[in-house]
Structure formats: C-alpha cells, structure tokens
C-alpha cells in the first residue's frame, strides 16, 4: 500500500493480487506460462467499473460472476474474453500414471481452437459412450485418440465435426476455425466426378478454381460470347491472386501420393471403398484445415503412403490433428499426446505411444489397488445392509444409496478389466498342407499375377504378403482359398487343411444376415463348426466366445448391423476363429480393430496358434512380430521369397532405391565428364581398386545374406530332425520323400546364398 501513488493504483494492485491468488490455487505455475498481458488487461477493463465505484465486495461479486467453476473444479472464463484461452488446457497432465482429462492443468498451452465441455453421449439413453468430458484441441497439437471398439471414439470425432449432437454438454470453437473430418467410411454425392469432389470445398481458393474450370469448359465447348471471355479473364486473375495454381499443384502431389489422381475424371459411384477412403484423406489434407479429424487414416494405404502422410501431418506445425488409428507406429511418429477413452472418461497422457503404454500401466495398477479396497468395503457394506431389520432400512437410506453407488463403480471396473482373450481349438494338420507347382495366372487385360510360381507350405509357416497396389495380393489369397482358379499349374491342398479367411471387406463380404442379433449370429457359426471332440453345448460355447471377445451381455441382443465398425471387425475375427481353422488367411486384419484386440491377436498368433498364417497388412509392427518371411510380389508375376522381417525388407528396398538413384547420378556425371575430355587416358590403378569395392546395394545384400543363411540353416536342422523322427515312427515312403524334397530345396538355397556371400566377401576383403 505504501508503494502506491494513488487510490487507483492500489485498486489495480488488489485486482492483480486477486487474479494471481486465484490462478495459483488452481495449479497454474506462472502468469508468463498461461496468460498474456493482453488477456490480463482485458480482464482488468471488465472489472474497472466496479473498482471505480467502491468496495472490494463488489469486485469479488463480479469476480464470481465471470469465473465459473465447473463440477470438476476447473475454472472456465466466459465474460469479456474467449473461453478457449483456458478451457481444456487443463487436459495436459504431468502425472506419468495418467489422469482424467477434466483435472486442472499443470502446464498450460496456448489458445484452444475447438473444445468441448461437459460432453455426454449414450447408445440408448442409458449406456454412456462418454460422460461429462472436457477436451480442448490447441493450435499445432497432434493427439491420438484410443479406446476399445464401441467406446465412442468415432462418436466424439463426429461431435467435434458437428455431425452428431451429444446428449449433454457443448462444443465451441474460435471464430472462423476450419475443421475437416475424414470419416472411417466416407460417402460422396453420387454422380459427381472425383475432380468435382476435390474442388467442392467452400474455401475461397476452391470457389475461384471451380469458377475458372466452369468458364474454361464453356470456352472449350465453343462459347464465343464476349461476356464469357471477360468473366474467364476475371476468374483467372482471381485464381492467381489467391494462389490457385499452387493449390492445383498441391492437389496433384497429394492425390498422386495417395494413388487416386489418375481417377480425377471418373465418377465417385464406381470407386472402391479403399479409393473412396484415399480420396477423402487427400481432400482433407488439401484443404489445410485448422483442425483435422482423422478416423483410421491408414486403412487402404500402402506403407510408402502411410509414411508420407505421417511426414505431411507432422510437418504442418499450425494444423491441429485428432486421430483415431490402430496403427501403433503412426501414433508413435505423429502424436505428441495420447487421449484414451476408457469407461466413458477421458485420460490424457503427454508423450508418444510408447510413453502412453508405461503411463497407462501405472494408472491401471493404481486402479487395481483402489478396486481391491473398494471390493472389501463393498463386502462390509453388503453385510451391514443384510443385517438391517426391514423397518430400520428407511432410516439408513443414504447408506444404502452409497452402497449402490459403490456397487455400480465396481461393476464398471470389472466390465473392462479382463481384456480380450482369443482362442481356437486345435485341428490336426497333416504333413501335406498346400503346394504350388508351376502356377500361372493372367487376367484378361494382360496383367500377370503368377508366373511359374512354386512353393510348398510347412507347418507353422508365418508368411507376409507385400507388394504395390494392383500386383495381385488379394487375388493370390483367393487362389489360396480355392475361390480363384489358375490358368495352368497346380495348387494342391491337403486333406486336413481347414481355412479360416478374414476378408478385408468385412462381414459384408459373406452371405450373412446382419439383421440377426449378435448372440444368434455367433451361435449359428458355433453349431455349424463343432468338432467331434466338443463336449460343451453350443449355447455355452457361444457365451464363452462372446465374453472372451469382450462383448458385454448388454450387447448380445443388439443387431449386428447396429454395431460400430470396430465391433463388427471384432465379431468377424470371432467368426473366423470359432471355426477352428489350422490355416489362417488374414487380409488386413488390423483395420478398425482397437489396440487391445490387436495386441491380443498378435499374442495369440505368436504364442498359441500352431497352424499356418498368411498375412496381408500395412501395419508394420504387426507384420514384424507375426511373420518370419515374406512373399514379395514384384509385378509381372514375379514372387520373391524374402527371408527376414518386414522392416528389414523396407530398409533394403529404400537402400536399393537410393543406390539406384546414386548410380544413375554417377553414370550421368561420368557421361558428362567423358564428353568434356578431348584426349583418351589409361585407367589408373586407383580406379581399378575403386571398381573392386562393394557398392552400397552390394553392402546391403552382403549384410542381409548373413541373416538369411542363418535362418535357412535353422530350418534345415528342423527338417533333418523331422525326417529322422518320421523314420523312427515308421512313416510311409511317400511321406519320407516329401520331407526329403523340402530338405533338399533348403540345402540348395543355403548353398546358393553361401556362394553369393563368398563372392561378396572376397570383394569386401573379408574372405
């Protein structure tokens, strides 16, 4: 007070003190971190009138009007400033164990672009997807949204996009914020061309380009009206002033990377589901929104396109992004925070996916301890409730209500605590599994899918199918499952083989009635695929499968068509495994699965399942963990058997491309140099020595050969042991010869690779 030169300065100091005290109590570290001077001045101007006319009580009264504390205890500022300055900044958490997104912030960020407050939504007015949640999305923020299938992830994206009106709460955004939503299964207006769909946005540059294209088409069709020419000139100037030609170039680049640019003149009606998804993703990226909402963006993309999208999203520092994806590497490479939707509540974890796993484990461990304490208390309360005489229960109504709340909380924890548990009964798989002999397949358009392909499958084969779009990966799966015949050659299938085909197209690919209830759908499959060893009745087996695949009882009576996209995928996986296959053919099985189910499938295939697995997937981690070698479809019917991991293959491919580029550059440089020389010269000893060194491509091959030889040698030892055991067991001559043939093929391959390794070792000086 003694330092103030006037009553007015004292009043200002009191105000700043009140605000500072308030923010300090709310967990804010410093003013500098959370509030700009302009914001503080804005608040001061709003309160100055009360200060000039008297008492501190008037200041506090107004203070209470403009600072509203919600039910979670978080301050939301409404009067005289934009609420986005604070609302849902509280969702940033420092605790490594994770915390609810409604709790106060300890590390505030800048202004939110779009936010929700007190948002609740239910399936049917009773079962909550999310309940009373707050979430703000800030400029440049990259958030990964994860949760179980059916938890409400897509519903939350739709709410932010304005396509779903929640039961309670509100969503707001800064003025003129542009939010673009790329749906899991996008739809376009029928009859439009791809080009029309790309440029139908209402942003000024797109409007200008549409006008330009319209007038250009009129002139090209013979319109000689001077007014049309004048309008065209104005439209051209407008496009130039808005940077339209740069946008055109961006459109061409993005759609080419996503492999849809060549479809520009086609109608959207004729596009496949994958093409529609890539088109929608391309349109979203072209528009450069303030907030991009992505629902499973990696579906239907090859690895190169996924990596390109990662780079593009990460490089745009101004664009915020909220993404739902099952692709763990995409989350790791793009997201700087993970938001988990679990039992209708949001939990937010700073850091990428790996840090989230650690933090979530810590949170669940804490919850488990709390849950054990709650169950003990619940047991004591139950004993108390049972001991009460009927006449006295009314007097203890509050305690009974408290018991019911505890019971509901305990049930909620138990419902989601066990996790998905996959299983399939083992069926015997004979020595003769499947064999291709000189297989050839060509389509009518001349595209060759298989050319003299020969391979014999072994027990526990784990093979990944890789290759560019259109090389025939899905067609090969159809040949495997006997739904596509060969032009020539043989595809022989053993008598004991039972295929389980997980089709990329989902449940809709098969002749099923989606109006059936979930329990009826599963029971019918169980009854039609019972083994002779089954002792359990079909009803019990059905209930067991539904529980293990995390379908709660209140979803058993739902129609299949009413399930979420992820739940239908989980039901599809259930329908494949309950047929007890010993040869699994999986076409993009990770699409739309939640991360918990994906982890369970990965664990099942690597530790429990004992049959063959053929896998097509763009999920890099999943491929690495499940497969041990690859069929690389290189085009023109060539299929290369690559022994190694998917990541190893991608690295080798990238190295080959870089080496090819360097070699071509070097060749061009040498050519230019030779043209400049006017006299001939003798090659120096140094040049000869340089020529003998390994090229970059050869160094990669040399390193890869060591790994391949080691794996093939292990396979050789296994086959030798199998042959010895078959002899001891008195197996027939044909069976022994079949094992011997496989052994001979492996021995020959080892010899071939060892010979190549020695050639390279000699050049490298290691021989």
């Amino acid at each position: 007070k003694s330092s103030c030169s006037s009553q007015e300065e004292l009043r200002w100091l009191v105000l700043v003190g009140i605000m500072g005290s308030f923010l300090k109590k709310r967990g804010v570290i410093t003013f500098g971190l959370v509030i700009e001077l302009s914001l503080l001045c804005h608040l001061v101007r709003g309160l100055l009138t009360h200060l000039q006319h008297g008492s501190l009580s008037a200041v506090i009264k107004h203070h209470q009007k403009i600072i509203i504390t919600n039910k979670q205890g978080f301050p939301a500022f409404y009067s005289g400033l934009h609420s986005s300055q604070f609302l849902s900044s509280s969702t940033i958490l420092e605790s490594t164990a994770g915390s609810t997104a409604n709790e106060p912030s300890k590390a505030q960020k800048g202004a939110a672009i779009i936010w929700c407050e007190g948002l609740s939504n239910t399936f049917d007015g009773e079962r909550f997807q999310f309940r009373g949640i707050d979430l703000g999305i800030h400029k440049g923020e990259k958030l990964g949204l994860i949760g179980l299938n059916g938890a409400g992830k897509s519903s939350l994206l739709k709410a932010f996009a304005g396509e779903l009106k929640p039961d309670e709460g509100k969503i707001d955004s800064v003025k003129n914020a542009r939010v673009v939503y790329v749906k899991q299964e996008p739809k376009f207006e029928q009859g439009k061309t791809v080009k029309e769909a790309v440029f139908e946005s209402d942003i000024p540059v797109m409007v200008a380009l549409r006008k330009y294209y319209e007038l250009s088409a009129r002139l090209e069709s013979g319109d000689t009206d001077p007014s049309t020419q004048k309008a065209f000139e104005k439209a051209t100037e407008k496009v130039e002033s808005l940077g339209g030609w740069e946008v055109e170039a961006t459109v061409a680049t993005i759609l080419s990377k996503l492999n849809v640019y060549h479809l520009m003149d086609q109608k959207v009606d004729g596009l496949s589901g994958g093409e529609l998804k890539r088109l929608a993703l391309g349109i979203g990226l072209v528009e450069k929104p303030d907030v991009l909402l992505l629902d499973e963006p990696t579906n239907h993309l090859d690895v190169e396109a996924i990596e390109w999208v990662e780079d593009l999203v990460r490089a745009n520092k101004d664009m915020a992004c909220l993404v739902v994806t099952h692709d763990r590497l995409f989350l790791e490479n793009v997201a700087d925070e993970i938001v988990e939707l679990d039992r209708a509540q949001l939990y937010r974890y700073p850091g990428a996916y790996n840090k989230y796993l650690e933090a979530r484990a810590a949170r669940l461990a804490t919850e488990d301890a709390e849950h054990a304490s709650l169950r003990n208390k619940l047991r004591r309360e139950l004993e108390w409730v049972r001991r009460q005489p009927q006449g006295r229960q009314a007097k203890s109504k509050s305690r009974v209500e408290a018991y019911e709340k505890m019971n509901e909380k305990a049930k909620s924890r138990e419902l989601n605590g066990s996790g998905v548990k996959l299983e399939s009964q083992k069926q015997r798989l004979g020595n003769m599994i499947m064999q291709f002999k000189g297989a050839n397949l060509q389509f009518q358009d001349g595209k060759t899918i298989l050319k003299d392909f020969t391979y014999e499958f072994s027990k526990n084969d784990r093979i990944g199918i890789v290759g560019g779009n259109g090389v025939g990966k899905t067609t090969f799966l159809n040949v495997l499952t006997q739904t596509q015949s060969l032009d020539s050659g043989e595809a022989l299938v053993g008598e004991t083989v039972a295929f389980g085909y997980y089709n990329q197209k989902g449940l809709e690919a098969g002749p099923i009635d989606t109006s059936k209830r979930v329990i009826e759908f599963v029971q019918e499959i169980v009854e039609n695929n019972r083994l002779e060893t089954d002792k359990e009745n079909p009803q019990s087996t059905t209930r067991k499968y539904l529980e293990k695949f995390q379908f709660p009882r209140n979803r058993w009576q739902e129609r299949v068509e009413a399930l979420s996209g992820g739940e239908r995928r989980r039901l599809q996986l259930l329908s494949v495994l309950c047929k007890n296959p010993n040869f699994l053919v999986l076409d993009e099985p990770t699409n739309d699965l939640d991360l918990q189910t994906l982890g369970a499938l990965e664990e099942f295939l690597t530790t429990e399942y004992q049959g063959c697995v053929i896998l097509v997937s763009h999920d890099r981690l999943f491929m690495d963990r499940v497969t041990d070698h690859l069929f690389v479809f290189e085009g023109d019917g060539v299929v290369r058997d690559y022994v190694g991991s998917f990541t190893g293959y991608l690295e080798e491919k990238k190295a080959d491309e870089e080496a090819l580029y360097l070699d071509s550059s070097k060749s061009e440089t040498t050519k230019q140099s030779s043209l400049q020389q006017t006299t001939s010269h003798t090659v120096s000893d140094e040049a000869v020595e340089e020529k003998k060194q390994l090229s970059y491509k050869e160094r990669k091959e040399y390193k890869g050969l060591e790994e391949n030889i080691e794996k093939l040698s292990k396979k050789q030892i296994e086959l030798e042991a199998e042959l010895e055991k078959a002899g001891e067991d008195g197996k027939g001559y044909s069976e022994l010869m079949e094992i011997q043939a496989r052994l001979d093929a492996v021995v020959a391959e080892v010899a071939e690779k060892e010979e190549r390794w020695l050639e390279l070792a000699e050049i490298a000086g290691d021989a």
Side-chain angles (χ1 to χ4, degrees):
K1 182 175 180 180
S2 61
S3 65
C4 296
S5 59
S6 68
Q7 186 70 15
E8 183 178 345
E9 285 188 21
L10 175 59
R11 287 172 178 154
W12 275 74
L13 185 61
V14 169
L15 174 61
V16 173
I18 290 171
M19 294 303 300
S21 175
F22 180 86
L23 291 169
K24 185 176 180 182
K25 288 179 180 178
R26 295 297 177 184
V28 179
I29 300 169
T30 66
F31 275 106
L33 288 175
V34 296
I35 191 166
E36 296 177 359
L37 181 60
S38 60
L39 173 59
L40 182 58
C41 290
H42 201 96
L43 282 168
V44 168
R45 285 195 296 271
L47 299 176
L48 189 56
T49 303
H50 290 275
L51 282 168
Q52 288 175 340
H53 292 90
S55 67
L56 184 62
S57 62
V59 177
I60 294 174
K61 184 176 180 181
H62 186 71
H63 173 89
Q64 288 172 337
K65 286 182 180 179
I66 68 166
I67 301 174
I68 303 168
T69 301
N70 64 18
K71 60 185 178 224
Q72 287 79 21
F74 175 70
F77 293 75
Y78 291 94
S79 177
L81 76 156
H82 204 292
S83 58
S84 67
Q85 296 286 346
F86 277 79
L87 187 59
S88 294
S89 298
S90 61
T91 59
I92 314 296
L93 303 175
E94 286 187 344
S95 168
T96 57
S99 187
T100 59
N102 297 327
E103 291 182 4
S105 171
K106 294 184 179 179
Q108 303 286 357
K109 287 191 174 182
I113 300 173
I114 189 170
W115 61 93
C116 67
E117 182 188 9
L119 211 64
S120 297
N121 200 62
T122 62
F123 290 107
D124 50 15
E126 295 181 2
R127 294 171 294 164
F128 282 93
Q129 292 180 302
F130 36 87
R131 187 173 192 174
I133 64 170
D134 297 345
L135 179 64
I137 305 174
H138 301 73
K139 182 178 179 178
E141 208 167 39
K142 308 297 188 288
L143 303 178
L145 177 61
I146 65 177
L148 289 174
N149 292 139
K153 303 184 297 295
S154 294
S155 296
L156 184 56
L157 291 187
K158 289 176 183 176
F160 271 122
E163 296 191 4
L164 181 146
K165 183 174 174 55
D167 297 340
E168 293 180 12
K170 69 172 187 177
I171 295 175
D172 208 346
S173 65
V174 299
K175 188 177 181 180
N176 298 324
R178 184 160 189 80
V179 179
V180 171
Y181 172 38
V182 180
K183 300 179 182 179
Q184 188 173 347
E185 297 175 359
K187 300 282 192 299
F188 291 92
E189 184 179 336
Q190 297 296 292
K192 285 193 173 185
T193 64
V194 168
K195 185 175 183 178
E196 289 170 338
V198 170
F199 290 100
E200 72 175 354
S201 168
D202 58 357
I203 59 177
V205 67
M206 291 298 194
V207 174
L209 282 167
R210 283 203 305 275
K211 188 67 176 176
Y212 169 82
Y213 294 142
E214 176 193 338
L215 292 168
S216 178
R218 284 169 59 180
L219 290 173
E220 288 177 5
S221 66
D223 189 338
T224 57
D225 191 329
S227 63
T228 304
Q229 180 63 41
K230 189 174 181 179
F232 175 75
E233 291 171 0
K234 285 185 177 180
T236 304
E237 292 174 3
K238 184 72 172 177
V239 169
E240 288 177 351
S241 67
L242 293 173
W245 310 132
E246 289 81 0
V247 171
E248 267 197 329
T250 300
V251 167
T253 299
I254 290 177
L255 297 188
S256 295
K257 287 288 185 180
L258 296 175
N259 197 30
V260 288
Y261 188 68
H262 65 288
L263 305 172
M264 289 291 272
D265 295 326
Q266 292 190 24
K267 300 285 187 182
V268 294
D269 315 43
L271 300 187
S272 68
E275 289 167 338
L276 289 173
K277 184 59 184 271
R278 296 198 299 275
L279 173 60
L281 179 59
I283 292 171
L285 294 171
V286 163
E287 292 193 22
K288 296 183 179 178
D290 299 303
V291 180
L292 181 61
L293 307 172
L294 299 176
D295 198 350
E296 295 292 356
T298 64
N299 286 0
H300 308 293
L301 298 186
D302 59 28
V303 173
E304 290 179 357
I306 291 172
E307 291 177 343
W308 182 80
V309 171
E310 287 175 353
D311 292 339
L312 191 66
V313 172
R314 192 171 52 238
N316 193 332
K317 302 300 182 183
D318 293 328
M319 181 182 72
C321 183
L322 179 62
V323 56
V324 173
T325 180
H326 65 275
D327 192 320
R328 292 159 291 183
L329 268 185
F330 189 90
L331 283 174
E332 183 69 23
N333 294 335
V334 171
D336 46 46
E337 293 185 36
I338 301 296
V339 181
E340 181 182 17
L341 187 53
D342 181 21
R343 286 161 285 161
Q345 292 298 309
L346 279 182
Y347 299 86
R348 190 161 174 175
Y349 305 83
Y353 181 70
N354 281 335
K355 288 189 176 180
Y356 151 76
L357 293 176
E358 297 172 4
R360 184 177 188 270
R363 175 176 72 81
L364 292 180
T366 301
E367 283 189 5
D368 286 341
E370 292 173 352
H371 181 63
S373 176
L374 178 63
R375 294 301 302 174
N376 288 333
K377 188 174 181 181
L378 188 61
R379 189 162 44 249
R380 292 194 298 269
E381 287 297 294
L382 179 59
E383 292 172 358
W384 178 85
V385 168
R386 287 172 174 170
R387 287 199 307 266
Q388 296 307 300
Q390 187 68 28
R392 291 182 57 191
Q393 283 193 10
K395 297 179 182 179
S396 308
K397 184 178 179 182
S398 61
R399 191 164 177 179
V400 172
E401 288 175 349
Y403 159 76
E404 290 174 349
K405 287 181 180 179
M406 280 193 293
N407 192 32
E408 188 64 29
K409 186 176 180 181
K411 285 181 180 178
S412 173
R413 178 71 179 89
E414 289 165 355
L415 182 62
N416 293 277
S418 58
V420 179
K421 295 179 181 177
L422 307 187
E423 70 171 35
S424 179
Q425 294 187 58
K426 182 180 177 181
Q427 281 208 65
R428 188 181 74 84
L429 190 60
N431 289 322
M432 167 54 186
I433 301 170
M434 187 169 189
Q435 187 175 11
F436 282 94
K437 292 183 178 180
N440 293 284
L441 178 61
Q442 188 178 56
F443 286 156
Q444 290 183 349
D445 61 1
K447 182 186 293 183
T448 302
I449 305 300
L450 294 173
K451 185 177 181 180
D452 197 28
F453 176 66
T454 299
Y455 184 81
E456 184 171 0
F457 289 91
S458 304
K459 290 181 179 178
N460 298 317
D461 253 344
R462 299 287 192 274
I463 304 173
I465 309 293
V466 300
N469 292 322
V471 296
K473 299 188 296 294
T474 299
T475 302
F476 178 70
L477 300 188
N478 293 335
V479 173
L480 272 174
T481 54
Q482 310 288 285
T483 58
Q484 169 71 51
S485 58
L486 296 170
D487 294 336
S488 62
E490 293 181 299
L492 307 174
V493 180
E495 294 181 356
T496 60
V497 172
F499 285 109
Y501 185 20
Y502 184 97
N503 196 311
Q504 180 182 170
K505 295 178 181 178
L507 289 171
E508 293 76 8
I512 69 163
D513 182 3
T514 56
S515 66
K516 285 186 176 181
R517 301 189 187 279
V518 170
I519 192 168
E520 296 171 346
F521 173 78
V522 176
Q523 186 167 323
E524 182 177 316
I525 297 173
V526 168
E527 290 175 345
N528 291 337
N529 293 275
R530 287 175 61 78
L531 301 177
E532 294 180 0
T533 55
D534 286 344
K535 297 179 181 179
E536 202 171 38
N537 65 62
Q539 293 79 8
S540 298
T541 304
T542 298
R543 290 194 295 271
K544 181 183 71 175
Y545 272 118
L546 287 170
E547 287 167 354
K548 287 183 179 295
F549 279 76
Q550 283 287 283
F551 284 98
R553 288 179 178 270
N554 58 16
R555 300 289 279 168
W556 292 4
Q557 298 302 323
E558 290 280 6
R559 307 284 182 186
V560 172
E561 60 195 3
L563 298 178
S564 72
E567 285 176 313
R568 289 200 300 273
R569 288 292 186 178
R570 187 152 24 102
L571 186 63
Q572 180 187 0
L573 185 59
L574 185 161
S575 70
V576 170
L577 293 183
C578 74
K579 293 176 182 177
N580 308 307
N582 52 26
F583 196 127
L584 278 173
V585 179
L586 306 175
D587 190 4
E588 295 291 358
T590 65
N591 281 0
D592 306 324
L593 286 183
D594 59 69
L595 292 173
Q596 189 182 64
T597 305
L598 178 57
L601 177 59
E602 199 173 84
E603 180 73 13
F604 171 72
L605 293 176
T606 55
T607 63
E608 297 181 34
Y609 185 70
Q610 296 182 23
C612 289
V613 177
I614 299 292
L615 172 65
V616 176
S617 178
H618 65 271
D619 190 314
R620 294 153 285 182
L621 270 180
F622 190 77
M623 285 279 279
D624 277 349
R625 292 175 178 175
V626 172
T627 65
D628 51 31
H629 67 118
L630 310 172
F631 283 168
V632 182
F633 280 69
E634 298 183 332
D636 296 325
V638 177
V639 181
R640 176 163 63 100
D641 189 1
Y642 176 88
V643 180
S645 68
F646 188 42
T647 297
Y649 161 73
L650 292 174
E651 290 174 351
E652 184 176 303
K653 182 183 177 186
K654 191 171 292 185
D656 288 348
E657 291 170 352
E658 290 174 355
L660 184 63
Y661 173 76
L662 290 172
D663 288 346
S664 63
S665 299
K666 186 177 179 180
S667 175
E668 184 63 27
T669 302
T670 304
K671 182 179 179 182
Q672 293 295 331
S673 177
S674 64
L675 289 173
Q676 293 172 2
Q677 293 176 352
T678 57
T679 59
S680 62
H681 62 277
T682 304
V683 179
S684 66
D685 292 339
E686 289 80 9
V688 173
E689 183 64 29
E690 181 181 351
K691 186 176 181 181
K692 287 185 177 181
Q693 293 177 355
L694 289 176
S695 67
Y696 184 80
K697 182 178 179 180
E698 287 173 331
R699 288 199 303 272
K700 292 295 293 184
E701 182 187 3
Y702 183 40
K703 184 178 178 181
L705 280 170
E706 294 177 349
E707 181 182 347
N708 290 346
I709 290 169
E710 182 181 354
K711 289 187 176 181
L712 286 168
S713 297
K714 288 180 180 178
K715 192 170 185 180
Q716 178 181 339
I717 293 170
E718 290 173 1
L719 286 171
E720 287 171 348
E722 184 181 345
L723 183 62
E724 184 178 351
K725 187 175 186 304
E728 293 173 353
D729 294 344
K731 299 292 184 182
Y733 174 77
S734 59
E735 192 168 332
L736 291 172
M737 290 303 296
E738 179 263 327
I739 299 173
Q740 183 65 56
R742 284 191 283 135
L743 177 58
D744 291 344
V746 172
V747 169
E749 190 173 358
V750 169
E752 180 185 343
K753 292 186 182 298
E754 284 180 341
E755 184 178 350
R756 176 58 177 163
W757 182 87
L758 286 171
E759 291 176 6
L760 296 176
E762 185 175 353
I763 298 173
D766 294 341

